[in-house]
C-alpha cells in the first residue's frame, strides 16, 4: 500500500511535491490506514548518467538529490520507492538500467530505496524479458537491502507464471489504467483466473488506483469517475488482493475519496493475512457479477457488482456457489456501511445500482439459529 506520482502528475514532479505528499499521507491518516510507500515514478532522472556512470536525479526537479528526499520520507515513518526500466531508456526516454543493473541497484540501496518499480520500455530486441527481470532481482538481493520489487511488464508473457521466480513481489498483469469507468471495468473484471498465482509476497498487480482523480490525470483519455464508480473500483481491487497504490493528489483529496481510501473494513479484505486473491463466481455473460475472496477467519468477502449502464439490478449470491453449505446460516455484513444486515441461509440478494457494488462479509455460524 502506498502512493505513486504517475497517475496524476506524470513527469510534472519535484522534491517539493514529494515532501508535501509525504506530509499529507501522514496528516490525512493514510499512513495509519496502511499506505506506507511513497513512490516516484518515471521522469525523476537527469537526461544523462553522471561522470561515474551512475543514475542521477534531474537537478532542476530534485536539487537536493534523492538521498535527502528518501531521508525526509523515512523521517515521516514512510518508505521510499523509485522507478527504472529493463531497457536502455525509461518509457519517458530517460536513462534506464539495461547493462547497469548492479550499479543501479547499489545506487538505489545507497540512497535508501525500499521499493523499485521496474518497467519494460526500450528492451533491446532479442533479449529475454524474464532474464532481464531476473538480473535486476539478483542485483537487488545482492545489495543486502530489503527492497520490494515491483515488476511492470504490462502482463507480457504471463508474468504471473515466472515473476516470483525472478524475485518479484508484485507484477503488473495489464496495460496502464486510466481514470475512467471503461478502464476500471476492462482491467478489473479481466483478472479472473489469475488467483491461482497470487499469495503472500507474490501479488498480481492490476495497476494503481484512480480513486479521487476526477479526471485530473496525466493522460487525455481520463474522463473521471463518480464516487460510486470509485467505490466499486476500490472494492474490486480489495477483493483481488491487489497492491493499493493511490494515484490521486493526496494533498487535496475530497472527503468522499478519503472515506473510500481509508475505509478500514474494506482495506482489511485486501490485506487479509491469508493473502488469497478473489475470483469470479459463475461465468455467464451477465452484467451482474459476483466475486468472492476467502478470508483467514473462515469468513468470505463477497462483491455484488452491477456493470449495467443505467439500471439497478437485484443480484443474488447462493451459499453453495461460494462453497458454503445451503443450510449454513451466515451473518451478512455490509462492509461499506459497517452494518450487519442479518443472518441468512441459502442465499442473499440485494439491489445494486448501475456501476455500483455491494461489498459483503459472510460469516458462517457454527449452529443453526
Ligand atoms: C509505463 C508504466 C506506467 C508508468 C509509465 C512511466 O507506461 O506502465 O505505470 O510507469 O510507464 O513512463
Amino acid at each position: 500500500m502506498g502512493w505513486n506520482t504517475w497517475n496524476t502528475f506524470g513527469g510534472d514532479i519535484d522534491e517539493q511535491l514529494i515532501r508535501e505528499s509525504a506530509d499529507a499521507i501522514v496528516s490525512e491518516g493514510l499512513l495509519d490506514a496502511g499506505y506506507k510507500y511513497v513512490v516516484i515514478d518515471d521522469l525523476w532522472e537527469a537526461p544523462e548518467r553522471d561522470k561515474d556512470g551512475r543514475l542521477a536525479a534531474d537537478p532542476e526537479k530534485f536539487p537536493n538529490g534523492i538521498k535527502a528526499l528518501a531521508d525526509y520520507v523515512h523521517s515521516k515513518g514512510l518508505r521510499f520507492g523509485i522507478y527504472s526500466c529493463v531497457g536502455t531508456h525509461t518509457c519517458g526516454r530517460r536513462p534506464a538500467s539495461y547493462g547497469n543493473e548492479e550499479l543501479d541497484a547499489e545506487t538505489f540501496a545507497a540512497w535508501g530505496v525500499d521499493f523499485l518499480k521496474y518497467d519494460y520500455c526500450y528492451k533491446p530486441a532479442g533479449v529475454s524479458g524474464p532474464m532481464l527481470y531476473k538480473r535486476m532481482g539478483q542485483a537487488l538481493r545482492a545489495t543486502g537491502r530489503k527492497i520490494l520489487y515491483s515488476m511492470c511488464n504490462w502482463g507480457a508473457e504471463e508474468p504471473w507464471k515466472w515473476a516470483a521466480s525472478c524475485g518479484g513481489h508484485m507484477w503488473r498483469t495489464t496495460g496502464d489504467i486510466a481514470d475512467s469507468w471503461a478502464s476500471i471495468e476492462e482491467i478489473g473484471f479481466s483478472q479472473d483466473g489469475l488467483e491461482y498465482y497470487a499469495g503472500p509476497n507474490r501479488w498480481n498487480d492490476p495497476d494503481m488506483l484512480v480513486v479521487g482523480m476526477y479526471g485530473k490525470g496525466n493522460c487525455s483519455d481520463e474522463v473521471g469517475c463518480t464516487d460510486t464508480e470509485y467505490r466499486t473500483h476500490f472494492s474490486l481491487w480489495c477483493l483481488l488482493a491487489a497492491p493499493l497504490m493511490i494515484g490521486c493528489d493526496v494533498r487535496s483529496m475530497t472527503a468522499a475519496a478519503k472515506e473510500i481510501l481509508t475505509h478500514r473494513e474494506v482495506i482489511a479484505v485486501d490485506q487479509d493475512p491469508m493473502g488469497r486473491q478473489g475470483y469470479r463466481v459463475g461465468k455467464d455473460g451477465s452484467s451482474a457479477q459476483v466475486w468472492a475472496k476467502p478470508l483467514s477467519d473462515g469468513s468470505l468477502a463477497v462483491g455484488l457488482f452491477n456493470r449495467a449502464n443505467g439500471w439497478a439490478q437485484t443480484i443474488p449470491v447462493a451459499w453453495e456457489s461460494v462453497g458454503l453449505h445451503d443450510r449454513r446460516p451466515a451473518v451478512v455484513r455490509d462492509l461499506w456501511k459497517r452494518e450487519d444486515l442479518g443472518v441468512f441461509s441459502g442465499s442473499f440478494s440485494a439491489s445494486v445500482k448501475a456501476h455500483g457494488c455491494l461489498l459483503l462479509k459472510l460469516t458462517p455460524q457454527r449452529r443453526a439459529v
Side-chain angles (χ1 to χ4, degrees):
M1 293 173 72
W3 172 79
N4 175 301
T5 51
W6 186 254
N7 281 4
T8 293
F9 299 100
D12 194 13
I13 52 176
D14 60 23
E15 59 186 40
Q16 183 70 11
L17 168 72
I18 308 303
R19 284 170 185 253
E20 287 174 9
S21 300
D23 293 348
I25 289 168
V26 176
S27 63
E28 296 295 316
L30 295 169
L31 173 60
D32 285 345
Y35 298 93
K36 284 199 187 70
Y37 290 92
V38 172
V39 181
I40 308 185
D41 208 286
D42 199 2
L43 293 165
W44 62 269
E45 313 86 347
E48 305 290 340
R49 289 177 174 265
D50 72 10
K51 61 179 180 5
D52 302 319
R54 290 184 190 273
L55 285 175
D58 184 318
E60 292 191 354
K61 295 175 176 174
F62 300 96
N64 293 298
I66 299 297
K67 171 86 171 70
L69 192 54
D71 288 347
Y72 183 80
V73 168
H74 288 146
S75 77
K76 308 291 292 188
L78 295 160
R79 295 184 189 155
F80 182 75
I82 208 160
Y83 165 101
S84 189
C85 221
V86 299
T88 53
H89 295 86
T90 70
C91 301
R93 280 211 64 87
R94 296 298 164 107
S97 295
Y98 179 70
N100 287 293
E101 290 84 356
E102 292 184 5
L103 178 62
D104 292 354
E106 280 164 21
T107 305
F108 296 147
W111 285 343
V113 164
D114 307 297
F115 178 113
L116 175 66
K117 174 172 172 181
Y118 206 45
D119 213 336
Y120 201 55
C121 284
Y122 295 101
K123 179 178 81 60
V127 182
S128 145
M131 187 276 287
L132 292 179
Y133 276 105
K134 193 168 280 176
R135 205 145 89 181
M136 182 52 95
Q138 183 63 30
L140 290 174
R141 252 191 325 280
T143 67
R145 187 175 171 88
K146 199 171 162 208
I147 298 177
L148 194 155
Y149 188 22
S150 166
M151 297 174 28
C152 175
N153 83 339
W154 321 310
E157 299 181 71
E158 304 185 312
W160 42 90
K161 294 187 177 162
W162 48 265
S165 74
C166 299
H169 301 107
M170 55 191 261
W171 46 85
R172 282 272 298 278
T173 55
T174 70
D176 289 7
I177 197 166
D179 180 18
S180 67
W181 173 247
S183 178
I184 290 169
E185 260 202 312
E186 185 189 343
I187 289 181
F189 292 111
S190 72
Q191 300 299 292
D192 189 39
L194 300 187
E195 68 275 11
Y196 309 114
Y197 304 97
N201 255 329
R202 40 181 304 154
W203 310 105
N204 290 308
D205 174 12
D207 206 1
M208 300 176 285
L209 299 167
V210 295
V211 174
M213 288 173 60
Y214 303 103
K216 295 197 196 105
N218 81 65
C219 300
S220 52
D221 57 347
E222 313 211 82
V223 294
C225 300
T226 64
D227 288 329
T228 296
E229 291 166 339
Y230 286 139
R231 209 170 288 116
T232 300
H233 164 38
F234 197 75
S235 304
L236 184 53
W237 263 237
C238 288
L239 284 164
L240 293 171
L244 300 177
M245 298 300 289
I246 297 174
C248 71
D249 185 344
V250 288
R251 301 168 304 171
S252 55
M253 283 181 292
T254 63
K258 184 170 158 181
E259 145 79 11
I260 293 170
L261 291 168
T262 59
H263 196 298
R264 298 293 202 279
E265 292 195 31
V266 178
I267 291 173
V269 171
D270 182 77
Q271 295 288 308
D272 182 74
M274 191 164 68
R276 295 275 295 278
Q277 177 173 326
Y279 59 92
R280 187 174 167 206
V281 177
K283 311 284 176 200
D284 63 20
S286 149
S287 58
Q289 293 197 2
V290 178
W291 289 65
K293 177 184 197 290
L295 301 174
S296 53
D297 65 359
S299 67
L300 285 157
V302 172
L304 309 182
F305 293 91
N306 180 3
R307 296 177 59 182
N309 285 329
W311 55 93
Q313 301 191 68
T314 296
I315 306 180
V317 52
W319 272 205
E320 295 242 327
S321 71
V322 293
L324 291 178
H325 193 282
D326 247 359
R327 287 193 299 276
R328 172 73 65 202
V331 177
V332 176
R333 182 170 179 80
D334 180 330
L335 292 181
W336 284 110
K337 285 199 175 141
R338 303 181 177 88
E339 190 181 302
D340 285 344
L341 303 178
V343 179
F344 295 82
S345 295
S347 69
F348 175 84
S349 65
S351 172
V352 183
K353 62 180 169 182
H355 297 186
C357 157
L358 205 65
L359 188 62
L360 306 171
K361 182 166 171 168
L362 270 48
T363 306
Q365 298 206 314
R366 292 288 151 227
R367 287 169 204 286
V369 287

